[in-house]
Amino acid sequence: MWNEHCSYKSSRRHLRGLPTKAPWVIQGPGENAGVIDIGDGEACVFKMESHNHPSFIEPYQGAATGVGGILRDVFTMGARPVACLNLLRFGAPDHAKTPHLVSGVVAGVGHYGNAFGVPTVGGSVGFHSRYDGNILVNAMAVGVARADAIFYAKASGIGNPIVYLGSKTGRDGIHGATMASAAFEADAEEKRPTVQVGDPFAEKLLLEACLELMASGAVVAIQDMGAAGLTSSAVEMGAKGDLGVELDLDHVPCRETGMTAYEMMLSESQERMLMVLHPEKQAEAEAIFRKWGLEFAVIGRLTDTKRFVVKRGGEVKADLPIKELGDEAPLYDRPWVATPKRPILAAEELAQVNSIGEALLRLLASPGLSSRRWVYEQYDSLILGNTVQGPGGDAAVIRLGDGPKGLALTTDVNEVYCEADPFEGGKQAVAEAWRNLIAVGAKPLALTDNLNFGNPEKPEAMGQLVGCIQGIGEAARALDFPIVSGNVSLYNETMGRGILPTPAIGGVGLVADVTKTASIAFKAAGEDILLIGGAPGWLGCSAYASVCCGREDGAPPPVDLVAERRNGEFVSGLIASGRVGAVHDVSDGGVAVALAEMAVAGGLGAQVAAQGLAWAFGEDQARYVVTAAPEEATRIVAEATAAGIATARIGVTSGAELIFAGEAPIPLAQLAQAREGFLPTLMGAEI
């Protein structure tokens, strides 16, 4: 209960500085998931969580149970899951284990989500040698519930029964939580028994049974059995309610014989729930679960002692103070040192290619910027029939019910920026999520985070965590983008080598009318292409510098949050009024990569008045590429200029080639071939 994964003892002090409130926030951090009001009596329930260590040891089951766990966090609150996303980071493509890990993780994510019946609509995939010994698997789930029917984990009612629900308990996952709070050493493979085994079909039954039970009015409190299993779920429910808990393990359904009390309390077998029920509803609740073919057992009761008492065979196996175990875990103030600032790189230092076209093709074929189609085509992104925009764009869009309303969803982070300057990197991760939601026509409402860092006992690694949290907080405040849920994953380190600091951001926005969303694809020939937000040309920490020059040094682009909000709201207005055709934010790879992605997506080329390598590949923030009819473009430029937003015509859509001024045309087929080759080639080597 006091390990990092359960207690956040190294991060809680700093997390308290994050903005978590807004008029539309119903529930912020501290519950199974965050909850926001999305109007019409509806609420959106969402959270992101990590399953990094288990997925490195056993990629298929590690990733699968990561998806299962985050889905339970959402429907535990009374919400029906409507979408999943993920953020995955793997080691260098030429590392011997990378194809095996990619294959297993993608298969695990796809199997669980597809079988459970929820669409996987978006995500992020990256590669870097710093993840060679410690991959990242972050899963995000989104659900919808009635705003007046949210369920919480706070137990109440002395004497009320504590009920075990779902699948039987086995010996899988014992010590999973503590394993997730320790660095890997040479014995990593020996930790395989700590990885849980998932059953998505059992979880689907659990979902339906739980929602039916909730509708019956029988539930007082509910908590899924995740990390530390029965121990953490029982302790957290009791501690939140200032009550004691007494458990009799003789009544726990087990699928293995001879399990000790220790094994039963720490098992992380999947698809299990713990509930406190109204006693008069017990028979009705049991009938519901029996109907769905699931276990139902009264295994304890609430007491007024504030003690956590565990019995087995009539003998007391544990008797501990519940508040100290639960919400009064130690709070560390670990030493930390700020990451030193890096010098700004001059563009002239990085002029190492002959043409924009040459650099662009190299970038599109690189591990960081190539198409993720090989990954997302293994996920069912259309099940439930509400996906308006799936993987491959700036953000996913799903329809809610029969009306026009929808949700936009994204996951983002640039870990290279965070390594160079944690504060600016944290800001940029939030700003990137904001831009991606804006770019499809959504109003950004709230975010969840998954803070993946190295060993907090090292002041440099702790400084990265602190810096990123501070940057995230500043951006979230400036953009009215509160953090309502999240997860901290520390000790992502193998043999003393830590991962890149990776504060993953999951963003949720509200779409008023899903028939009026924007997308990245060029729509029509003869439209003017506008660059909104200016083009100074910042190459430090850029994809161009890494891929074409072999450098990841220099300072990352600074994030002007005033400009982010101003420019984003301007673009949002253009989309809402239907004045623009294609919309794409400018991020990794700069303007040239954004244009190539828009052209390939639309099957339509463009002529572009490029102004050099820095102009083409600089990753300056707060920028968008949009298209509009010529007369409309003239009005947009005038309005932007009046609002103090640098905006310029940079080209026109036409033909089947991307043509940068003064350079040889690049056929769209060549761009597409460059983008599509990396992952199939990497994975074909294994197959």
Side-chain angles (χ1 to χ4, degrees), residues 174-399:
I174 294 173
H175 293 306
T178 47
M179 181 270 292
S181 299
F184 280 148
E185 300 298 338
D187 62 348
E189 291 296 330
E190 297 173 15
K191 300 180 185 291
R192 192 175 301 273
T194 64
V195 179
Q196 310 90 336
V197 178
D199 181 349
F201 302 104
E203 180 129 327
K204 174 64 172 174
L205 296 175
L206 184 62
L207 161 70
E208 300 299 343
C210 284
L211 293 183
E212 185 175 341
L213 185 57
M214 290 167 172
S216 74
V219 179
V220 176
I222 179 170
Q223 177 78 42
D224 84 292
M225 292 193 219
L230 185 54
T231 298
S232 82
S233 55
V235 168
E236 287 173 6
M237 283 177 40
K240 285 179 179 178
D242 287 327
L243 294 172
V245 166
E246 184 177 296
L247 300 180
D248 186 345
L249 301 186
D250 291 349
H251 302 294
V252 172
C254 294
R255 66 170 185 259
E256 299 183 45
T257 59
M259 290 187 70
T260 66
Y262 183 88
E263 290 172 327
M264 294 165 70
M265 292 304 298
L266 292 181
S267 166
E268 293 183 15
S269 294
Q270 298 291 284
E271 294 82 44
R272 301 181 302 160
M273 291 281 189
L274 200 64
M275 286 187 186
V276 176
L277 296 181
H278 291 292
E280 69 277 10
K281 295 272 191 178
Q282 183 175 318
E284 181 182 355
E286 182 169 2
I288 290 171
F289 264 73
R290 298 298 184 202
K291 180 186 75 174
W292 287 100
L294 296 168
E295 296 293 334
F296 179 101
V298 177
I299 65 167
R301 64 186 183 92
L302 297 175
T303 70
D304 62 358
T305 64
K306 294 187 182 181
R307 305 288 294 182
F308 181 55
V309 179
V310 178
K311 296 179 179 178
R312 175 74 157 146
E315 181 183 346
V316 174
K317 296 292 186 179
D319 186 348
L320 296 159
I322 201 166
K323 295 292 287 184
E324 287 82 347
L325 269 183
D327 51 19
E328 294 178 7
L331 179 61
Y332 290 175
D333 186 8
R334 293 193 183 277
W336 60 275
V337 295
T339 302
K341 296 289 184 182
R342 295 184 183 181
I344 297 172
L345 290 183
E348 303 79 57
E349 296 182 58
L350 299 168
Q352 296 179 23
V353 293
N354 296 319
S355 69
I356 292 173
E358 175 194 341
L360 177 58
L361 290 171
R362 288 175 63 181
L363 282 165
L364 293 176
S366 68
L369 291 173
S370 60
S371 168
R372 278 31 183 155
R373 187 184 309 276
W374 183 91
V375 171
Y376 64 69
E377 284 191 343
Q378 297 185 54
Y379 307 151
D380 190 334
S381 61
L382 299 175
I383 195 168
L384 301 182
N386 293 318
T387 304
V388 178
Q389 290 192 45
D394 282 324
V397 179
I398 60 170
R399 180 187 294 104

